[in-house]
Every structure is written in structure tokens, then in C-alpha cells.
Amino acid sequence: MATLEIDCPVCAEVLELTDADRADLVVGDVIVCDSCNAEMEVTRNGAGEDFELELLGILTVCPNCGEEFDVTDDMLAAAPTVEGADGTVVSVVACPHCRAQIELEFEETD
């Protein structure tokens, strides 16, 4: 049985999809990375390696209220960035549940 390996665009964890897994997927289905909880939508599922995913958002938990929510590209584009005391640059997003301001730090992956 063939296995298609795809790198998560957020954490670079390898996602393995067997032929059986892919047979159950249709365009529009969402796959969640087990490592970082990034959500990706299936945008193409053809034969062989004709397969594409689009990043939808990263599931995170609000440290204030404990509710889960997706951090989307649109949220990040609108989010202000600030420099922390240690010099790191963080994005500030609001929890959609309790409106707490949450600082998110992202690491660059190669």
C-alpha cells in the first residue's frame, strides 16, 4: 500500500496518508496535524502524488478562558506585533470567546 508523505506547513511534521486514508478524503475535507493542531483543507486529491492542502488555521487554547479557537491567516494579518522584553517579536490576537489579548510567538522553519 502506497503512503503519501506531506510536510505540515506550520511545524514540518510529516503527515502520512495511505491510499485508504485518501480514498475517504474529498476536496473540502479538513486534516488536523497531530503535532501542532494546524488545520489544512484538501484542495486537490487526484491519483498518485496529485494532492494539495491549504492551511486554514492553527488551533490554540486561550490561557485566560481555556477555550479553543483557530488562529487564521486573516487574524494574523490584522494583528499588531510588539517586541517582548527579551527582544522577540510577537503577534497579539484577541480570543474570540473572552476577548483577552494573547501574544503568539512563531518560529521560522526551514
Side-chain angles (χ1 to χ4, degrees):
M1 180 180 291
T3 299
L4 178 65
E5 294 184 348
I6 301 166
D7 293 333
C8 174
V10 175
C11 70
E13 182 75 21
V14 175
L15 309 174
E16 295 182 347
L17 297 174
T18 64
D19 288 339
D21 294 332
R22 289 185 56 192
D24 292 337
L25 293 173
V26 296
V27 172
D29 282 350
V30 174
I31 296 173
V32 178
C33 176
D34 290 333
S35 180
C36 71
N37 295 319
E39 294 183 339
M40 296 156 280
E41 179 181 5
V42 176
T43 56
R44 187 167 60 215
N45 188 10
E49 300 217 2
D50 186 24
F51 187 84
E52 283 188 6
L53 296 170
E54 179 179 318
L55 182 64
L56 293 178
I58 303 166
L59 189 64
T60 191
V61 176
C62 175
N64 187 54
C65 69
E67 293 290 326
E68 292 182 340
F69 68 96
D70 282 322
V71 177
T72 64
D73 286 339
D74 290 341
M75 285 177 79
L76 289 175
T81 56
V82 296
E83 187 172 326
D86 62 357
T88 59
V89 176
V90 297
S91 297
V92 180
V93 298
C95 170
H97 303 286
C98 70
R99 307 306 300 164
Q101 297 295 302
I102 303 165
E103 294 182 358
L104 300 174
E105 181 181 348
F106 295 95
E107 295 179 359
E108 293 294 322
T109 59
D110 294 328

